[in-house]
Amino acid sequence: MITHLKGKLVEKNPTYAIVECNGVGYFLNISLHTFSLLPDEENIFIYTDLLVKEDSHTLFGFAERAEREVFRLLISVSGVGASTARTMLSSLSPSDVRDAIANGDVPTIQSVKGIGAKTAQRVILDLKDKILKVYDIGEVSQQSNNTNKEEALSALEVLGYTRKQSEKVVDKVVSQDTSLSVENIIKLALKNL
């Protein structure tokens, strides 16, 4: 229902923020990751997720769209509630959570307070396939802003290769010749996959 807020940052704490939009103050539960990314300037844009239960309506805020997607996936797992998901995103960055799930890294997920071995295994089992689909949502490649590279990676994903698997090969191809067209990047990458 409420997908994002754009307004005045009234208050910012490690666990919550208050954002005023047109005279209405919204109380947002946030992770430490979002807290560290929220600017101290007055006007902000923040992604949200509204959880509706019988006895409460709770609004969660996220500095990045990718963090919101990881949060949504985590709360879809049986035994993982919103507070556990928020704790996980406070202890680990969204990319650490994604990597741990994608690589089946039970000890990393289990290192989060409140998550035991069975829950960690269930998180990995339930989300391993889904997490790869949101692997790069809202993130720009840090190494280069090469749109040909991004288009080639998207095409390889459509062809059934995972983003992580393709990225190493495409990076290698692009590093050898940065002037390659999308088609040539894909052709050379397919030879090495």
Side-chain angles (χ1 to χ4, degrees):
M1 185 177 151
I2 302 172
T3 190
H4 69 265
L5 296 174
K6 185 177 182 182
K8 179 180 168 187
L9 181 63
V10 177
E11 194 175 334
K12 174 178 141 179
N13 287 296
T15 57
Y16 71 90
I18 298 174
V19 178
E20 185 181 316
C21 301
N22 296 324
V24 178
Y26 292 91
F27 183 94
L28 301 165
N29 292 285
I30 60 172
S31 68
L32 284 174
H33 178 75
T34 292
F35 174 76
S36 67
L37 294 176
L38 276 182
D40 288 326
E41 58 201 47
E42 199 171 280
N43 293 315
I44 65 162
F45 179 92
I46 190 162
Y47 295 98
T48 61
D49 191 53
L50 177 65
L51 289 185
V52 179
K53 294 183 181 176
E54 288 178 22
D55 58 343
S56 68
H57 287 66
T58 312
L59 197 57
F60 290 86
F62 308 94
E64 303 167 323
R65 201 171 77 187
E67 183 183 10
R68 179 179 66 183
E69 296 308 315
V70 171
F71 176 82
R72 287 176 173 169
L73 286 174
L74 288 171
I75 62 173
S76 73
V77 176
S78 175
V80 177
S83 61
T84 304
R86 182 169 75 162
T87 301
M88 191 181 286
L89 289 166
S90 291
S91 304
L92 305 166
S93 72
S95 57
D96 290 341
V97 173
R98 289 191 309 250
D99 290 344
I101 293 169
N103 298 324
D105 187 355
V106 174
T108 299
I109 294 173
Q110 200 176 338
S111 70
V112 175
K113 185 179 180 282
I115 294 186
K118 285 184 180 179
T119 305
Q121 290 167 347
R122 192 178 313 115
V123 166
I124 290 169
L125 188 67
D126 288 2
L127 300 181
K128 193 163 189 165
D129 295 333
K130 296 176 187 172
I131 203 79
L132 294 173
K133 291 178 182 152
V134 296
Y135 200 79
D136 283 318
I137 281 184
E139 292 181 6
V140 178
S141 175
Q142 303 268 323
Q143 295 144 349
S144 71
N145 290 329
N146 187 338
T147 54
N148 287 353
K149 175 185 156 186
E150 289 303 314
E151 286 181 38
L153 285 170
S154 296
L156 289 167
E157 276 184 285
V158 171
L159 293 172
Y161 295 96
T162 65
R163 180 89 178 188
K164 213 167 186 183
Q165 180 185 18
S166 306
E167 203 155 16
K168 290 176 186 170
V169 176
V170 170
D171 282 341
K172 186 178 175 187
V173 168
V174 172
S175 69
Q176 291 169 356
D177 184 359
T178 55
S179 64
L180 288 171
S181 68
V182 176
E183 296 81 16
N184 289 331
I185 293 172
I186 295 168
K187 286 177 187 173
L188 289 169
L190 286 171
K191 288 179 184 173
N192 295 310
L193 283 169

